[in-house]
Short mmCIF file of all heavy atoms in Angstrom, two decimals:
data_model
loop_
_atom_site.label_atom_id
_atom_site.label_comp_id
_atom_site.label_asym_id
_atom_site.label_seq_id
_atom_site.Cartn_x
_atom_site.Cartn_y
_atom_site.Cartn_z
N LYS A 5 -12.79 -3.06 -12.92
CA LYS A 5 -12.83 -3.06 -14.40
C LYS A 5 -12.52 -1.61 -14.83
O LYS A 5 -12.76 -0.65 -14.10
CB LYS A 5 -14.25 -3.46 -14.87
CG LYS A 5 -14.61 -4.90 -14.57
CD LYS A 5 -15.99 -5.21 -15.07
CE LYS A 5 -16.34 -6.68 -14.72
NZ LYS A 5 -17.68 -7.05 -15.17
N LEU A 6 -11.96 -1.50 -15.99
CA LEU A 6 -11.55 -0.19 -16.52
C LEU A 6 -12.68 0.82 -16.47
O LEU A 6 -12.44 1.99 -16.16
CB LEU A 6 -10.92 -0.33 -17.96
CG LEU A 6 -9.58 -1.04 -18.02
CD1 LEU A 6 -9.20 -1.22 -19.45
CD2 LEU A 6 -8.52 -0.27 -17.27
N ARG A 7 -13.85 0.36 -16.86
CA ARG A 7 -14.95 1.34 -16.99
C ARG A 7 -15.44 1.73 -15.61
O ARG A 7 -16.24 2.71 -15.51
CB ARG A 7 -16.11 0.71 -17.80
CG ARG A 7 -16.74 -0.53 -17.25
CD ARG A 7 -17.80 -1.06 -18.16
NE ARG A 7 -18.41 -2.26 -17.60
CZ ARG A 7 -19.33 -2.93 -18.34
NH1 ARG A 7 -19.67 -2.56 -19.51
NH2 ARG A 7 -19.88 -4.04 -17.83
N GLU A 8 -15.08 1.02 -14.56
CA GLU A 8 -15.47 1.35 -13.17
C GLU A 8 -14.56 2.38 -12.54
O GLU A 8 -14.92 2.98 -11.51
CB GLU A 8 -15.48 0.09 -12.32
CG GLU A 8 -16.48 -0.96 -12.79
CD GLU A 8 -16.41 -2.27 -11.95
OE1 GLU A 8 -15.30 -2.47 -11.37
OE2 GLU A 8 -17.38 -3.03 -11.92
N ILE A 9 -13.40 2.64 -13.11
CA ILE A 9 -12.44 3.56 -12.51
C ILE A 9 -12.84 4.96 -12.93
O ILE A 9 -12.87 5.34 -14.12
CB ILE A 9 -11.03 3.21 -12.94
CG1 ILE A 9 -10.64 1.81 -12.50
CG2 ILE A 9 -9.99 4.19 -12.38
CD1 ILE A 9 -9.35 1.35 -13.00
N THR A 10 -13.04 5.82 -11.93
CA THR A 10 -13.52 7.20 -12.15
C THR A 10 -12.49 8.22 -11.69
O THR A 10 -11.59 7.90 -10.93
CB THR A 10 -14.91 7.38 -11.42
OG1 THR A 10 -14.63 7.31 -10.01
CG2 THR A 10 -15.97 6.43 -11.91
N SER A 11 -12.76 9.42 -12.04
CA SER A 11 -11.87 10.55 -11.64
C SER A 11 -11.90 10.71 -10.12
O SER A 11 -10.81 10.87 -9.51
CB SER A 11 -12.28 11.85 -12.33
OG SER A 11 -12.10 11.77 -13.70
N PRO A 12 -13.05 10.70 -9.42
CA PRO A 12 -13.01 10.77 -7.97
C PRO A 12 -12.23 9.64 -7.35
O PRO A 12 -11.55 9.81 -6.30
CB PRO A 12 -14.48 10.65 -7.58
CG PRO A 12 -15.22 11.16 -8.74
CD PRO A 12 -14.42 10.72 -9.93
N MET A 13 -12.24 8.41 -7.89
CA MET A 13 -11.48 7.31 -7.37
C MET A 13 -9.98 7.59 -7.47
O MET A 13 -9.18 7.32 -6.48
CB MET A 13 -11.84 6.02 -8.16
CG MET A 13 -11.24 4.76 -7.53
SD MET A 13 -11.63 3.31 -8.60
CE MET A 13 -13.37 3.32 -8.47
N ILE A 14 -9.58 8.16 -8.59
CA ILE A 14 -8.18 8.51 -8.79
C ILE A 14 -7.75 9.64 -7.80
O ILE A 14 -6.68 9.53 -7.23
CB ILE A 14 -7.93 8.98 -10.27
CG1 ILE A 14 -8.28 7.89 -11.27
CG2 ILE A 14 -6.44 9.38 -10.41
CD1 ILE A 14 -7.45 6.62 -11.13
N THR A 15 -8.66 10.58 -7.62
CA THR A 15 -8.34 11.72 -6.70
C THR A 15 -8.10 11.10 -5.28
O THR A 15 -7.15 11.52 -4.62
CB THR A 15 -9.47 12.68 -6.67
OG1 THR A 15 -9.64 13.26 -7.97
CG2 THR A 15 -9.25 13.77 -5.67
N LYS A 16 -8.96 10.23 -4.81
CA LYS A 16 -8.82 9.62 -3.50
C LYS A 16 -7.56 8.80 -3.38
O LYS A 16 -6.81 8.90 -2.37
CB LYS A 16 -10.02 8.70 -3.25
CG LYS A 16 -10.00 8.09 -1.88
CD LYS A 16 -11.21 7.18 -1.65
CE LYS A 16 -11.19 6.50 -0.25
NZ LYS A 16 -12.34 5.60 -0.06
N LEU A 17 -7.21 8.08 -4.42
CA LEU A 17 -6.01 7.26 -4.43
C LEU A 17 -4.76 8.14 -4.27
O LEU A 17 -3.87 7.85 -3.48
CB LEU A 17 -5.89 6.43 -5.74
CG LEU A 17 -4.73 5.49 -5.91
CD1 LEU A 17 -5.14 4.33 -6.80
CD2 LEU A 17 -3.51 6.19 -6.52
N LEU A 18 -4.67 9.24 -5.12
CA LEU A 18 -3.52 10.12 -5.03
C LEU A 18 -3.38 10.88 -3.69
O LEU A 18 -2.30 11.02 -3.12
CB LEU A 18 -3.62 11.18 -6.15
CG LEU A 18 -3.62 10.60 -7.54
CD1 LEU A 18 -3.78 11.76 -8.62
CD2 LEU A 18 -2.32 9.86 -7.84
N ALA A 19 -4.56 11.22 -3.07
CA ALA A 19 -4.57 11.89 -1.81
C ALA A 19 -4.08 10.92 -0.74
O ALA A 19 -3.30 11.30 0.20
CB ALA A 19 -5.97 12.34 -1.43
N GLU A 20 -4.40 9.63 -0.84
CA GLU A 20 -3.95 8.66 0.21
C GLU A 20 -2.39 8.46 0.12
O GLU A 20 -1.73 8.31 1.10
CB GLU A 20 -4.66 7.34 0.01
CG GLU A 20 -6.18 7.36 0.48
CD GLU A 20 -6.86 6.05 0.24
OE1 GLU A 20 -6.25 5.14 -0.42
OE2 GLU A 20 -8.00 5.89 0.70
N LEU A 21 -1.95 8.36 -1.13
CA LEU A 21 -0.49 8.18 -1.35
C LEU A 21 0.20 9.38 -0.76
O LEU A 21 1.34 9.27 -0.19
CB LEU A 21 -0.17 8.05 -2.83
CG LEU A 21 -0.65 6.78 -3.46
CD1 LEU A 21 -0.37 6.76 -4.93
CD2 LEU A 21 0.02 5.54 -2.85
N LEU A 22 -0.30 10.60 -0.98
CA LEU A 22 0.39 11.81 -0.54
C LEU A 22 0.35 11.90 1.02
O LEU A 22 1.33 12.38 1.61
CB LEU A 22 -0.41 13.05 -1.09
CG LEU A 22 0.29 14.39 -1.03
CD1 LEU A 22 1.64 14.41 -1.81
CD2 LEU A 22 -0.59 15.44 -1.62
N GLU A 23 -0.75 11.37 1.62
CA GLU A 23 -0.86 11.55 3.04
C GLU A 23 -0.26 10.39 3.87
O GLU A 23 0.46 10.57 4.85
CB GLU A 23 -2.36 11.65 3.46
CG GLU A 23 -2.60 11.81 4.92
CD GLU A 23 -4.09 11.82 5.25
OE1 GLU A 23 -4.91 11.77 4.35
OE2 GLU A 23 -4.41 11.86 6.46
N LYS A 24 -0.46 9.14 3.35
CA LYS A 24 -0.07 7.94 4.11
C LYS A 24 1.03 7.16 3.45
O LYS A 24 1.72 6.34 4.12
CB LYS A 24 -1.31 7.03 4.25
CG LYS A 24 -2.41 7.74 5.01
CD LYS A 24 -3.62 6.75 5.10
CE LYS A 24 -4.81 7.41 5.79
NZ LYS A 24 -6.00 6.52 5.84
N GLY A 25 1.27 7.39 2.14
CA GLY A 25 2.26 6.58 1.46
C GLY A 25 1.78 5.16 1.31
O GLY A 25 0.62 4.88 0.97
N GLY A 26 2.68 4.22 1.64
CA GLY A 26 2.28 2.82 1.57
C GLY A 26 2.82 2.12 0.30
O GLY A 26 2.85 2.76 -0.75
N GLY A 27 3.30 0.90 0.48
CA GLY A 27 3.88 0.21 -0.69
C GLY A 27 5.24 0.85 -0.99
O GLY A 27 5.45 1.99 -0.83
N GLY A 28 6.13 0.00 -1.41
CA GLY A 28 7.48 0.54 -1.86
C GLY A 28 8.35 0.98 -0.67
O GLY A 28 9.40 1.53 -0.90
N GLY A 29 7.85 0.76 0.59
CA GLY A 29 8.66 1.09 1.67
C GLY A 29 9.89 0.23 1.81
O GLY A 29 10.00 -0.85 1.18
N ARG A 30 10.79 0.62 2.73
CA ARG A 30 12.02 -0.21 2.91
C ARG A 30 11.61 -1.44 3.68
O ARG A 30 10.95 -1.45 4.70
CB ARG A 30 12.99 0.62 3.73
CG ARG A 30 14.29 -0.14 3.92
CD ARG A 30 15.25 0.69 4.84
NE ARG A 30 16.40 -0.10 5.07
CZ ARG A 30 17.32 0.18 6.07
NH1 ARG A 30 17.09 1.24 6.79
NH2 ARG A 30 18.37 -0.53 6.27
N ALA A 31 12.07 -2.62 3.22
CA ALA A 31 11.82 -3.87 3.88
C ALA A 31 12.88 -4.15 4.91
O ALA A 31 14.12 -4.09 4.63
CB ALA A 31 11.80 -5.05 2.89
N LEU A 32 12.51 -4.42 6.13
CA LEU A 32 13.39 -4.75 7.24
C LEU A 32 13.07 -6.17 7.80
O LEU A 32 11.88 -6.61 7.69
CB LEU A 32 13.25 -3.73 8.36
CG LEU A 32 13.65 -2.29 8.02
CD1 LEU A 32 13.38 -1.37 9.15
CD2 LEU A 32 15.17 -2.22 7.62
N TYR A 33 14.06 -6.83 8.38
CA TYR A 33 13.81 -8.21 8.84
C TYR A 33 14.28 -8.35 10.26
O TYR A 33 15.30 -7.78 10.68
CB TYR A 33 14.61 -9.23 7.91
CG TYR A 33 14.10 -9.25 6.54
CD1 TYR A 33 14.36 -8.24 5.61
CD2 TYR A 33 13.25 -10.30 6.07
CE1 TYR A 33 13.89 -8.25 4.33
CE2 TYR A 33 12.75 -10.36 4.81
CZ TYR A 33 13.10 -9.36 3.89
OH TYR A 33 12.62 -9.37 2.60
N ALA A 34 13.45 -9.07 11.06
CA ALA A 34 13.80 -9.30 12.48
C ALA A 34 13.69 -10.78 12.72
O ALA A 34 12.75 -11.46 12.35
CB ALA A 34 12.85 -8.56 13.39
N ALA A 35 14.76 -11.34 13.40
CA ALA A 35 14.82 -12.75 13.67
C ALA A 35 13.64 -13.19 14.58
O ALA A 35 13.35 -12.52 15.53
CB ALA A 35 16.13 -13.15 14.25
N ARG A 36 13.01 -14.31 14.26
CA ARG A 36 11.97 -14.88 15.08
C ARG A 36 12.49 -15.51 16.35
O ARG A 36 13.66 -15.95 16.35
CB ARG A 36 11.13 -15.81 14.26
CG ARG A 36 10.46 -15.24 13.00
CD ARG A 36 9.71 -16.28 12.27
NE ARG A 36 9.23 -15.81 10.98
CZ ARG A 36 8.06 -15.16 10.79
NH1 ARG A 36 7.24 -14.97 11.85
NH2 ARG A 36 7.68 -14.76 9.61
N GLU A 37 11.69 -15.60 17.31
CA GLU A 37 12.12 -16.22 18.61
C GLU A 37 12.73 -17.58 18.51
O GLU A 37 13.80 -17.92 19.06
CB GLU A 37 10.98 -16.23 19.64
CG GLU A 37 10.59 -14.81 20.16
CD GLU A 37 9.52 -14.86 21.25
OE1 GLU A 37 9.33 -15.98 21.77
OE2 GLU A 37 8.98 -13.83 21.57
N GLU A 38 12.00 -18.45 17.70
CA GLU A 38 12.45 -19.81 17.56
C GLU A 38 13.83 -19.88 16.79
O GLU A 38 14.67 -20.77 17.05
CB GLU A 38 11.48 -20.66 16.82
CG GLU A 38 10.93 -20.14 15.48
CD GLU A 38 9.75 -19.20 15.66
OE1 GLU A 38 9.63 -18.58 16.71
OE2 GLU A 38 8.98 -19.10 14.69
N PHE A 39 14.04 -18.92 15.90
CA PHE A 39 15.30 -18.94 15.14
C PHE A 39 16.45 -18.42 16.05
O PHE A 39 17.55 -18.91 16.05
CB PHE A 39 15.20 -18.00 13.98
CG PHE A 39 16.45 -18.01 13.09
CD1 PHE A 39 16.88 -19.16 12.43
CD2 PHE A 39 17.18 -16.83 12.95
CE1 PHE A 39 18.06 -19.09 11.69
CE2 PHE A 39 18.33 -16.80 12.18
CZ PHE A 39 18.78 -17.91 11.56
N ILE A 40 16.11 -17.41 16.93
CA ILE A 40 17.14 -16.93 17.87
C ILE A 40 17.54 -18.03 18.80
O ILE A 40 18.70 -18.22 19.18
CB ILE A 40 16.53 -15.72 18.68
CG1 ILE A 40 16.33 -14.55 17.75
CG2 ILE A 40 17.44 -15.37 19.82
CD1 ILE A 40 15.64 -13.38 18.44
#
């Protein structure tokens, strides 16, 4: 909920994006064994 979102929560979120990234990465596809 909007009232539950705090400054420390935002700080942690930004730090994780800076360190680990995640989301928005390049999508790659590999054929499955049954399809091969």
Side-chain angles (χ1 to χ4, degrees):
K5 295 179 180 178
L6 288 175
R7 63 183 180 183
E8 295 174 340
I9 299 176
T10 62
S11 296
M13 187 185 297
I14 300 297
T15 298
K16 182 181 178 182
L17 182 151
L18 298 177
E20 287 179 352
L21 291 175
L22 194 61
E23 181 182 356
K24 302 177 182 177
R30 183 186 175 194
L32 297 175
Y33 293 78
R36 300 179 187 273
E37 288 185 13
E38 53 271 28
F39 183 65
I40 294 175

